[in-house]
Each structure stands twice: as structure tokens, then as C-alpha cells.
Amino acid sequence: MNAWTLVYEGFDAAGEGLREALCTLGNGRFATRGATPDGQPRTPGTYLAGCYDRLDSVVAGRTVTNEDIVNLPDWLPLTFATPECGWFRPEEAGLLRYRHELDLRHGVLTRELRWRDGAGRVTRVRQRRLVSMADPTLAALETTFTAENWSGPMRVRCTLEGRVTNCGVARYRDLRGDHLTGHETGADNGMAWLTATTRNARVMVALASRIDGDTPSARPALGGDHITSDHVLDLAEGEPARITKTVALTSSRDPAGHDPRSSALRHVRRAPRFDELLARHASAWECLWRRARLDVDGPELSQLVHLYVFHLLQTLSPHTADLDAGVPARGLHGEAYRGHVFWDELFVEPWLNLRFPEISLGLLRYRWRRLPEARDAAAEAGYEGAMFPWQSGSDGREETQRLHLNPVSGRWLPDNSHRQRHVGLAIAYNVWHHYLATGSMPPWCAELVLDIARFFASLAELRDGRYEIRGVMGPDEYHDAYPGSDEPGVANNAYTNVMTVWLMTLARETAVLAPQLAPPAAELARWDDVSRRMRVDFHRGVISQFTGYGDLLELDWERYRGVRRLDRALEADGDDVNRYQASKQADTLMLCYLLGDEQLTAILERLGYAPDPGLISRTISYYLRRTSHGSTLSAVVHAWILARRNRERSWEFFIEALTGDVSDVQGGTTAEGIHLGAMGGTLDLLQSCYLGLELERGGRLRLDPLVPERLGLVCMPLRYHGRQIFVDADHREARINGTVRRTYTRGDVIMTGTGDFGRRIIHHRERLGLTREQVADKADMSPGYVKYLEENADTPDTGALYRLADALQTTVEELLGGGRDRPPGRGPAMAHPTLEVLDREECLRLIESGGIGRVAFNGSHGPTVLPVNYKLHDGDIVFRTAAGGAMDEDLRSGVKGVDIVIAFEIDRIDEVNREGWSVLVQGPAHHVPAEEVADAAGSGVTPWAGGERLLYVRISPRQITGRRIHGV
């Protein structure tokens, strides 16, 4: 089994929808499902991130408006025919071989087939398809034909097809899906083009195609809503012939374009031939995988992990960071949930924060751009602050349907799920955790947190000494009202209430980070009051999901064994899930997932409750028995919260989460689009839960690993506060940059060399005839870290560097290039550098370990800068110099009691990562008199230069400033 490929053997018409979704190719800007270019059944879909349109439909006697992500014109169609035979259709052909292979490493979908036509002619066909990660406007399909036992003409028909609708989800087919109108087609210097416009949003999209290969150019035949070109390849027996279709997709949403049609034509005209296009595309994917790497033992598990990373990056790539796009719950892989943005970023962003923080920042910006709409929604509902919608699309309006179809009963039913106000809590949580991962809190991010806090503070009503939140739905999604009540929503959903308390305390901290946005004292006082007097209900020794939950009936679980969507089954039986203690997915238990036991207990104690040590365990057990797992997110959450309680059960949920889409565990839903939140959550389960990774305030990362033995060694690079570190762990211990340790603090010294460090490791390893495992054993580090150092531009910390040099029987100097490296700063800057101004506390933390600094003063021969060894001692800079030397003479004022003010600079430069920091200390230089020498000597400062350097100089800082340059 290859851990980097997903293979489908044979043609299975019933399974085509699932295969199409899992073989989708995309680049974060647009994606195309893995539909065949020919035949039936096929559910073609090409979706552009953020491209939505609204249509009115009449259902159950009511007019409803739905906004959908738009299925755009189909660029794939390409079919072929042997002499005197009809066009190839896999469902009708005499197939001798039929195979799809998805290359996860390079983002290429290959179809290979052999078929025998009615005349006995056998032809081999190989197709390779890509959606370019290097140029996000381009896609291409290369087809190679080989006639095995015949020679003659092969007819090929290429089409740009505009006759498409949104029809990929069966239960939506009573709703209109004809979003495209105003089609036009044409040809320009042998290139075909097609344009169309969405009916209401008036977004124009354009496709342009170029045909290359072993065939004369053909004049396209224009249709009103499609354009076709016919080609003939003269096949010689055994000789391959190739034809390539390269397309560009543009829209009126794109920046730097005059109009979509001319832009598409320009893009496709200058696109390289397929081999070069593929090489650039593969190189772009290699760059992504270096940052996204997440290794586990075993090809089966590795394949699934790679698949999840692959699909996440196809939906949310660095290209997405510059778009106005959110996290569509089903990726760009299908039309389920109409392409809407829910709360799935809650599960996706933690993984992105430590790999691609620029992407997660772009996703937060999607929310911020819709802050005015959220403020209007809150005001219209009578609240303050910002009320974000449960389902969001183009402009931030509430897009949740008010009627939904139960496919089991066939009835259209009222839908109250827009009352899931907790989506705002998820947004605030994401802002805060992006801050913990990066150290960056832009003012607009703080604005999001503060306005969401205002909304939830105004949502809370004081009743009988406790604040209550009424009329909401929790994450459970089953309980949208009390049994028999005409009023929608429930009261005091535990998840909503407790996370509101968390938000109230978090918002106060955010106000400190963004003082220019700080609320007035009275508002802060109200937030504090809400955070101390919020109501949480309990029953039978557990936390109640909401007020009155314990009074609901118990469900006959035996009767509904194996039924995941209880709401549909019960409604079809004439019953109502609101009557029962039953959950679709984790609700109350989401508190354990987001906050952990310790923080949840602290919040309950803050509220004046007295949780006993067994409360959380009892609560988990109680709700686990009453959950139908009708969402793919359910397995992720339960695997997480059971990881340290029931490892075997946690593993079962983990495997369900990891195989959920491949095995289509929800019964047909994956064909409508992957479950992006579950994929991101599963990756974060590996990254954060099993590693026990915790991001603490103050720039400290902590590990407390509990890796299941069946995962073996888990290895990954992480980007924390702008620094790249490498983490690997097994069920025994964790290592950071190859060294056994449990913490990493922002600014910890990681040595870097500017030479070809990895090449030198390989050279010395091969010189000694050692394997990676042998080097790792000798250097007391993991084989995964040795592999990482060989393949990536990074170097270990000092201790690991010396152990590695000893293991390779060489010197540190030789490993770092033997002095042959170029001077620091000669390399190019990083792609998106950020210059951070450091506060006094951070400056002191960076320089407290001592080292080399530079003394700058106005010497007798002009401005002078000299390096010295220094220590930070009792808040002062202390260094030693020689009596009678330049610094002895030039740093004396000649007036007793008057010291000369000088500057002292310390920096660290990381050439490989193209980042670093500098601190400037300014203050008087004081020659330490004899009676104070003993105290100064206690600093332990030792000069490298040697010689008699018995004179101590102390700099008392009057001003300390600093800057750090790092990635986003």
C-alpha cells in the first residue's frame, strides 16, 4: 500500500459520487470534483471560493430564498471514439482495465483504462488531471492514447459546458438550482471561451481553453451555452499520441483584471505546456507539504492522514488567505449545506494556526468583513454588539433555511437552527487561539472579540440572582424547543452559558491588549458580573444540557439501534426528538473538548458552584450513552475527551473520525461533499490532543503526550510565534527539535547555519555507512528528526548539534559549513515579514540569558562599536574590559558621579528562517568600584577574548526597546 495514493479499481456506477468527492482537485481558489470527463453517471462540479447566488423557490406552498455556492461551467468534458463507433462511455464500454489513482503528494488525478470496441480494437488511455496550485486560475487535462492492435483515426471532442445547475444533492432538487444565465461563447486565435453570469449576484465567470497535442487545430463549434471542438489523432499501433486541454477560470470577483473573458484568455494563452505546468504545480505542493507534514507509523494510517491534509489544503490554501472566503462545511467538493460557512473553523483553525497562520488570519478576516452585518442583526433583534449568523455566505446575512426537507418522511418542516447563537463564541475562540499561536492580536481581531462579548452580555438576563440565556439551540441540533411549546429554543444551554463566561473573562484580557478599543469601566464591570453569576443547571449529579433536560423522556435506544439521524427517524414515525434525552453530537461535552477539565472546573467554581472530582467523568459517561453520533464531528470530540479516560474507546472514535469520509460513515453524505470540520478536527486530534499540546499565555508551548501505541511515532513541524520547531513523540516521551523536553518558550535559542546543513548530514552519514536510525540512536534523537533535518532548511539547538556532530564523527564547525557561510542577512527576506515592536518585559526576557552584545559610544577616534560578553545581573547589563583600554578611558566622563550614557545592542539572527530580533539598551555606563566588584562578579560574566579583563562595567537601563521580525 502506498501512503501517498488513493486508488479506485474498476468502474462502480453506484460509488461514483463518493469517488468524485474524494478525488476532487483544488487550489484554495477553486476546485473541481473528480467526475469523469465522459459518460454517466457523473455529478460534475466546479466551485469558486466565495461565489454565491440567491434564488427563490416555492416549497410546501411557501416561497423560500436560498443562497448557494454556484456550480460553475464544466471544463472537463472530453470524449473520444474509434472509427465507426460511438463516443466512449465507461458504463457501456467493454472495459479490460479501469483505474483511478489520486496522487496526494503532487495533486494529480490519473485515470487509466483499456477497452475493446465493437470491432475488436483495443485501446489504452491514460489521463492526468490537475488544478494548479502554482497558478490558481489554471487547470489541465492531458489524455494519451495508445492503439494496441490497430492503426487509424481517433476522434476526440472537447467541450466547455455551460448547461449546468446545482443538482448535486438529492434533497435540494425541489429547489431551484439554475443560477447561471446570459451565456456567451466564442473563439479567439484557436482558443475557445465561455462566459455566464449568476442571476442575482451578477458575478460573471469565464472559462477559456487551449488544445495542444498531436492533432491539427480545429475550429470550435459555438453553441449558445456550450462550445465544442472536434479533433482527429492519427494513431499508429503501439505509438502513444497526446492531446491536452488547458483551461483558465476567472470571475468578476478577481482583483487585477479588466473583465473575466479577456483575463481568462490571457491566462490560458501564457500557460505553459502540460509538463511544465505539472512541474510548477508539483513544486508548489512540495512547499505546502514541508509545512503541513504530519507523519504517523504505518501506510494505512499515513494514507488517511495525508488524504485529510490534502483535502484541507485544497479548500484552504495560501491562495485562500487573500480571498474573501470562509470555511465551507463541505469544502469546495460538493453542494451539501449549500456551501455555507457554519462553525467548522473551530475545528480547522487550530491546525492551521500552527502550520499556516496566514490562512487562519484570512479566515478571521472573512468574519471581520461581515461585522457590520452582524451588528445590524443584533440591533434588529434588540441586542448590543454583533450577532453572527449560524449559516453565512456572501455578505454575512443569516442564510439558514427556515424550512428543511426530511428525506425519510418526505415532509418539509420548520427549521429553527438559526438560533445556534454559539457560532459567535466559536469566532471569539478562534481569535484568541490565533493570538496564542502567533502572539499577534491585530486591532480588528480584538474588535471581533469585544463586539461578540457585547452581544452575549446583552443576551444574558438577570433572573433570581443568576444570569440566564434563553431561546437558543446548542451544538446538539436536535433540541430546538421544549416539547409541546410554540416558542423556539431552550433555556440555559450549558455549552452556550459556560462559553459565555469564558468569553467575558477573555474579553477583559483582550481589552488590555487593545487599549484603544477598551470598553468603559461600567461595561467591563457588567462582563465581570456575568462571568460570576451565570446559571448552569445540574441533574442526577451531571451538568444539564439545558434547563429541564433531566425531565425529558428516555429514548428506546434498542428500537433505534444504529440510527444516526434520530430527528428524521422519529419525525417519520410521528414523534418528536425534542421529547427525549438524545443528542445528535457532543453538546455539553464540547466544554471538555474546548476548555479541558481544569478550565471547566475553574469556571464552575468561579460561578459559585462546587463541582466534585467526579462531576466531569460522570457527565461524559451520561451523555456518551445518549448520543447517536449523527455528525462526523461527534467522533472527533469524543475521541478527544476520552483520550485520557478510556484509551481504547478513544481509539475507536479516532478511527471512525479518520475513516469517516472514505467509508462514508454517515451513509451517502460524503458524495455531497467532504466533511471539512471533521477532517481538520482529526488532524488537530493528532497534533494537539495526543501530543497534549497546550498554548499558554506569554509565548510558552507545553507538551504532555499520550500517543496511542498503534500510532507509533508522530512527527511534525510547527510554526509557533513565528519560529519553526520540530516535534515528535511516541507513547513514552516527546522531543522538541530532537531533544527530550516538554516545553518550548518563544525566543528559545535555536542555532541556525546558512550552509547546506542537511546535505552535510547526509554526506557524513553515508561516509560512515550509517542509517538514519543508527545516527539517531547515537545522537539521542528520533529518526524522524534526523530525516527532517536532512530534508528541510533548519538546524537543531546547541546540545543536539553537538550530539549530532559526535554521532557523525565530525565537528560542529564542519556541519555548519566550516566558516564558509555567507555573512548574516545576505539571504532574501521571507515572503510576508512582520515587524513586531517588543515591550520592555519581552526585551528583558530575550536578553536575560546573556551572551554577546555590542557597546556603542562616542570614542576618542569617533563613533565606536565593540562586541563584549555580558550578563544581566540585578536588572543591569554587566561586562568586563581591560583596565586602560578604549572602553576604560572613553567611558569615563572625568567628573565624579557623572556617567556617560551609551547604547548596548543584542540580537539574534536566524538566517534559515529569515527572522530575528534585536534589543537596544540605553543608559549610563558605571565603572564598578572595588567595594562593588564582588557583587558584580556574582553575575558570572566571562569574556571570550581572554587576557586581563578585570574591570567591570555596569549599564543601568533607562530605556529598553526592541523589535522582532518574523512570519505572519
Side-chain angles (χ1 to χ4, degrees):
M1 182 183 198
N2 188 328
W4 288 98
T5 59
L6 181 66
V7 175
Y8 290 88
E9 295 281 2
F11 180 76
D12 174 19
E16 274 295 279
L18 175 62
R19 187 198 60 75
E20 288 175 352
L22 291 176
C23 290
T24 294
L25 297 179
N27 56 27
R29 177 178 174 269
F30 80 95
T32 296
R33 285 170 60 89
T36 57
D38 44 49
Q40 292 294 333
R42 64 189 297 265
T43 310
T46 292
Y47 309 100
L48 184 67
C51 183
Y52 295 94
D53 188 56
R54 288 189 178 90
L55 288 176
D56 291 340
S57 304
V58 178
V59 293
R62 291 175 56 181
T63 298
V64 296
T65 302
N66 286 297
E67 184 177 66
D68 300 316
I69 192 168
V70 180
N71 185 14
L72 300 179
D74 185 9
W75 64 269
L76 280 175
L78 182 150
T79 190
F80 40 87
T82 50
E84 301 175 357
C85 292
W87 295 112
F88 174 82
R89 299 169 67 91
E91 72 275 17
E92 298 173 353
L95 294 173
L96 305 175
R97 172 180 169 80
Y98 195 81
R99 185 177 194 266
H100 281 92
E101 179 179 295
L102 178 62
D103 180 348
L104 302 170
R105 186 187 291 276
H106 302 114
V108 177
L109 178 62
T110 300
R111 180 173 74 155
E112 296 178 336
L113 64 93
R114 292 176 68 235
W115 103 98
R116 180 183 290 112
D117 68 11
R121 288 176 291 242
V122 177
T123 308
R124 184 166 68 251
V125 181
R126 182 171 186 259
Q127 293 181 313
R128 293 189 295 174
R129 181 192 311 181
L130 63 86
V131 173
S132 177
M133 190 62 79
D135 185 333
T137 64
L138 298 179
L141 173 66
E142 176 203 63
T143 305
T144 303
F145 300 95
T146 305
E148 294 191 1
N149 62 353
W150 64 283
S151 298
M154 172 70 80
R155 291 176 292 137
V156 180
R157 173 167 290 176
C158 301
T159 303
L160 298 180
E161 180 59 78
R163 294 168 293 186
V164 297
T165 62
N166 279 54
C167 59
V169 179
R171 62 186 177 278
Y172 298 166
R173 287 175 187 162
D174 287 343
L175 304 171
R176 288 182 63 188
D178 55 331
H179 289 283
L180 296 178
T181 187
H183 297 74
E184 295 184 10
T185 58
D188 188 314
N189 293 324
M191 294 176 292
W193 58 266
L194 180 151
T195 62
T197 304
T198 59
R199 289 188 182 275
N200 288 294
R202 308 306 298 170
V203 175
M204 176 179 281
V205 293
L207 278 178
S209 68
R210 189 187 76 209
I211 306 299
D212 302 312
D214 305 321
T215 176
S217 60
R219 185 175 182 83
L222 307 185
D225 46 17
H226 64 286
I227 182 168
T228 298
S229 59
D230 288 338
H231 308 264
V232 178
L233 282 73
D234 290 323
L235 300 188
E237 182 175 341
E239 295 293 327
R242 184 169 72 167
I243 185 170
T244 300
K245 181 182 187 181
T246 304
V247 301
L249 171 65
T250 60
S251 84
S252 56
R253 287 171 50 87
D254 298 340
H258 178 270
D259 67 277
R261 182 180 67 84
S262 65
S263 179
L265 286 167
R266 287 198 305 275
H267 278 289
V268 81
R269 182 180 296 115
R270 64 175 175 242
R273 295 298 179 102
F274 186 84
D275 288 343
E276 177 63 22
L277 189 65
L278 174 59
R280 295 180 187 179
H281 168 71
S283 178
W285 266 108
E286 287 292 346
C287 291
L288 291 181
W289 280 114
R290 279 197 290 272
R291 294 173 67 180
R293 175 180 170 187
L294 203 169
D295 295 339
V296 297
D297 280 356
E300 294 86 358
L301 290 176
S302 294
Q303 180 204 55
L304 294 169
V305 170
H306 294 153
L307 180 69
Y308 276 25
V309 174
F310 178 73
H311 282 305
L312 195 153
L313 289 177
Q314 290 198 121
T315 306
L316 305 169
S317 79
H319 298 302
T320 316
D322 292 330
L323 302 177
D324 183 28
V327 180
R330 306 301 281 273
L332 297 174
H333 298 60
E335 295 163 16
Y337 299 155
R338 299 183 174 85
H340 290 170
V341 177
F342 294 71
W343 70 331
D344 296 79
E345 65 251 53
L346 182 67
F347 301 88
V348 170
E349 286 200 31
W351 189 83
L352 289 173
N353 283 337
L354 292 169
R355 308 300 187 109
F356 301 91
E358 70 276 19
I359 301 177
S360 54
L361 191 67
L363 300 176
L364 293 175
R365 193 173 285 113
Y366 167 86
R367 294 296 192 178
W368 176 75
R369 289 189 179 112
R370 286 147 185 82
L371 185 57
E373 189 70 35
R375 287 169 173 157
D376 287 349
E380 288 176 11
Y383 302 112
E384 299 175 9
M387 182 175 74
F388 282 90
W390 174 235
Q391 296 187 33
S392 179
S394 59
D395 60 11
R397 277 183 272 177
E398 179 63 80
E399 301 294 348
T400 304
Q401 67 278 7
R402 297 307 169 99
L403 287 176
H404 74 269
L405 176 68
N406 180 353
V408 179
S409 69
R411 288 188 283 267
W412 288 89
L413 306 168
D415 191 314
N416 293 317
S417 57
H418 63 279
R419 290 186 170 268
Q420 293 190 71
R421 309 300 188 202
H422 60 81
V423 65
L425 298 167
I427 296 169
Y429 186 92
N430 290 332
V431 171
W432 185 250
H433 280 261
H434 183 270
Y435 164 70
L436 292 179
T438 66
S440 175
M441 177 68 78
W444 59 267
C445 282
E447 189 178 14
L448 274 172
V449 172
L450 298 175
D451 263 18
I452 293 170
R454 289 188 176 97
F455 168 69
F456 279 93
S458 67
L459 195 62
E461 301 177 22
L462 188 59
R463 295 179 177 223
D464 300 325
R466 287 279 184 185
Y467 287 95
E468 300 190 18
I469 296 178
R470 294 173 168 265
V472 300
M473 282 182 68
D476 160 38
E477 294 191 330
Y478 277 173
H479 297 90
D480 67 349
Y482 286 101
S485 174
D486 294 330
E487 292 293 322
V490 297
N492 301 312
N493 170 255
Y495 173 78
T496 303
N497 284 20
V498 171
M499 290 304 295
T500 296
V501 173
W502 171 86
L503 174 60
M504 295 298 106
T505 58
L506 180 278
R508 291 170 62 86
E509 290 189 55
T510 303
V512 174
L513 294 171
Q516 69 274 29
L517 300 175
E523 188 171 21
L524 291 172
R526 174 172 167 79
W527 292 358
D528 183 68
D529 193 43
V530 171
S531 75
R532 297 179 185 278
R533 292 203 285 164
M534 181 67 75
R535 174 172 172 171
V536 177
D537 287 70
F538 302 84
H539 72 279
R540 303 182 200 171
V542 303
I543 301 171
S544 296
Q545 184 169 311
F546 51 80
T547 300
Y549 183 88
D551 298 328
L552 300 180
L553 299 175
E554 291 285 4
L555 183 71
D556 183 355
W557 288 94
E558 188 62 32
R559 177 181 176 184
Y560 292 97
R561 180 183 296 275
V563 176
R564 290 182 178 262
R565 288 302 301 268
L566 289 171
D567 54 337
R568 294 174 177 174
L570 287 165
E571 192 276 332
D573 289 344
D575 207 340
D576 183 0
V577 73
N578 281 316
R579 299 174 61 227
Y580 299 99
Q581 296 185 41
S583 298
K584 174 185 174 184
Q585 58 190 344
D587 189 302
T588 304
L589 302 191
M590 278 294 298
L591 295 170
C592 305
Y593 176 76
L594 295 182
L595 302 177
D597 292 11
E598 185 177 339
Q599 195 172 5
L600 174 56
T601 299
I603 287 177
L604 292 176
E605 290 174 344
R606 179 184 180 90
L607 293 173
Y609 298 107
D612 65 80
L615 172 68
I616 294 176
S617 292
R618 289 194 306 273
T619 300
I620 291 173
S621 178
Y622 186 88
Y623 288 105
L624 186 57
R625 296 194 304 269
R626 293 165 173 82
T627 302
S628 66
H629 307 293
S631 164
T632 53
L633 292 172
S634 191
V636 173
V637 175
H638 286 90
W640 188 298
I641 63 179
L642 292 174
R644 296 181 184 272
R645 287 183 168 84
N646 186 332
R647 299 183 68 179
E648 188 60 34
R649 193 80 171 95
S650 172
W651 180 259
E652 292 173 4
F653 278 119
F654 168 69
I655 292 299
E656 179 178 321
L658 192 59
T659 59
D661 272 335
V662 174
S663 61
D664 197 14
V665 69
Q666 294 292 330
T669 62
T670 303
E672 303 166 350
I674 61 162
H675 298 83
L676 196 65
M679 287 186 169
T682 303
L683 296 175
D684 191 44
L685 185 65
L686 287 167
Q687 173 177 279
S688 298
C689 177
Y690 288 149
L691 290 185
L693 188 152
E694 184 176 350
L695 307 180
E696 299 180 344
R697 293 168 173 81
R700 185 179 177 88
L701 179 150
R702 182 181 297 277
L703 299 175
D704 184 15
L706 193 66
V707 178
E709 288 191 45
R710 282 170 283 192
L711 278 178
L713 188 67
V714 179
C715 308
M716 65 193 75
L718 299 177
R719 194 158 190 85
Y720 178 62
H721 280 250
R723 299 296 302 273
Q724 179 130 320
I725 61 175
F726 185 86
V727 176
D728 60 293
D730 54 27
H731 66 284
R732 293 183 299 272
E733 60 189 15
R735 290 160 292 275
I736 299 178
N737 294 336
T739 303
V740 176
R741 58 193 295 188
R742 294 294 182 98
T743 62
Y744 171 80
T745 302
R746 177 186 63 194
D748 280 359
V749 175
I750 299 177
M751 288 191 63
T752 58
T754 55
D756 190 353
F757 185 69
R759 177 182 57 77
R760 294 191 186 98
I761 296 176
I762 295 171
H763 166 74
H764 289 293
R765 179 168 62 78
E766 292 179 346
R767 173 177 60 82
L768 298 173
L770 299 176
T771 65
R772 284 173 176 157
E773 289 72 18
Q774 289 169 325
V775 171
D777 184 61
K778 291 174 180 290
D780 191 26
M781 59 180 59
S782 66
Y785 189 51
V786 175
K787 180 176 185 290
Y788 172 77
L789 291 174
E790 289 184 353
E791 296 176 353
N792 295 272
D794 204 352
T795 46
D797 59 26
T798 308
L801 187 61
Y802 276 93
R803 297 198 309 275
L804 190 59
D806 289 342
L808 295 171
Q809 298 179 22
T810 186
T811 65
V812 168
E813 182 183 27
E814 173 61 28
L815 277 183
L816 291 178
R820 295 186 293 274
D821 295 338
R822 61 191 176 191
R826 290 282 299 277
M830 64 177 66
H832 302 287
T834 298
L835 187 63
E836 176 189 3
V837 176
L838 306 177
D839 59 26
R840 182 186 180 94
E841 180 182 357
E842 176 64 5
C843 290
L844 288 172
R845 190 189 68 78
L846 289 171
I847 68 175
E848 66 182 352
S849 60
I852 301 293
R854 298 167 184 83
V855 183
F857 55 95
N858 193 18
S860 56
H861 299 289
T864 303
V865 180
L866 295 173
V868 297
N869 295 82
Y870 80 93
K871 287 282 189 177
L872 192 64
H873 183 63
D874 293 336
D876 292 341
I877 300 289
V878 177
F879 64 89
R880 286 165 54 180
T881 188
M887 283 190 285
D888 181 14
E889 299 295 334
D890 291 342
L891 295 185
R892 295 184 185 273
S893 68
V895 180
K896 186 176 181 180
V898 177
D899 294 323
I900 293 177
V901 176
I902 67 172
F904 191 80
E905 191 269 349
I906 313 100
D907 59 48
R908 294 288 185 274
I909 305 299
D910 183 339
E911 184 76 6
V912 171
N913 291 314
R914 292 167 286 173
E915 59 189 20
W917 55 264
S918 67
V919 171
L920 181 66
V921 178
Q922 295 169 298
H926 174 66
H927 287 68
V928 177
E931 63 270 19
E932 298 177 13
V933 166
D935 178 66
S939 66
V941 63
T942 303
W944 281 4
E948 293 292 327
R949 299 178 183 276
L950 303 178
L951 179 63
Y952 285 83
V953 179
R954 184 195 305 271
I955 304 172
S956 299
R958 287 183 179 172
Q959 180 170 308
I960 302 179
T961 58
R963 295 182 176 186
R964 180 190 285 119
I965 187 169
H966 53 71
V968 176

